[in-house]
Amino acid sequence: QLQLVESGGGLVQPGGSLRLSCAASGSSLGYYAISWFRQAPGKEREGVSCITRSGSTTTYADSVKGRFTLSRDNAKNTVYLQMDSLKPEDTAIYYCAARRSVSHYACYDRTNEYDYWGQGTQVTVSS
């Protein structure tokens, strides 16, 4: 059974940076496509970024494109979300999610396509 644990959240000023980590245990992360979602108070959970099993392709929501970078280190069973130029509207709980994928090159957009979720990490962008 795959288990995911996020870390790296916190309070940061606008324009600052944070790096979120999603560490997996119980199975090799190399079998899974991984996404980050976020949920702000009173809003629905939304997709932020996705990375394929191979790591060859990443996708980003328009709101974070050019500011966030998603990467994976399958040897360390960890996925990283580098967040730069943070804005107050990035404030949310960030969740990583995994879906076992036959394809090495597929990403998935919807929350109901993912089988495993972490507990979330709070990111607050405020001066």
Side-chain angles (χ1 to χ4, degrees):
Q1 181 85 355
L2 183 71
Q3 294 182 323
L4 303 173
V5 177
E6 302 97 334
S7 62
L11 173 64
V12 64
Q13 292 186 343
S17 297
L18 284 174
R19 188 176 81 156
L20 304 184
S21 298
C22 174
S25 61
S27 180
S28 172
L29 208 56
Y31 295 114
Y32 299 85
I34 304 295
S35 277
W36 284 89
F37 291 83
R38 66 186 182 186
Q39 188 165 20
K43 294 189 177 181
E44 292 188 357
R45 194 169 295 190
E46 64 173 358
V48 173
S49 184
C50 176
I51 189 165
T52 57
R53 270 185 67 179
S54 67
S56 61
T57 300
T58 51
T59 64
Y60 299 93
D62 288 343
S63 59
V64 307
K65 205 169 290 183
R67 300 187 297 120
F68 290 12
T69 304
L70 184 58
S71 61
R72 67 189 300 157
D73 186 338
N74 286 343
K76 293 184 178 180
N77 242 20
T78 302
V79 171
Y80 304 99
L81 182 66
Q82 178 67 40
M83 306 188 298
D84 298 318
S85 302
L86 282 162
K87 304 176 181 180
E89 51 263 44
D90 295 318
T91 295
I93 300 174
Y94 284 71
Y95 301 90
C96 66
R99 171 186 165 132
R100 194 172 180 105
S101 176
V102 173
S103 170
H104 286 255
Y105 308 107
C107 259
Y108 307 91
D109 297 329
R110 297 187 296 272
T111 57
N112 62 6
E113 294 182 294
Y114 287 86
D115 303 309
Y116 303 97
W117 291 82
Q119 82 290 349
T121 185
Q122 176 70 48
V123 172
T124 303
V125 184
S126 175
S127 55

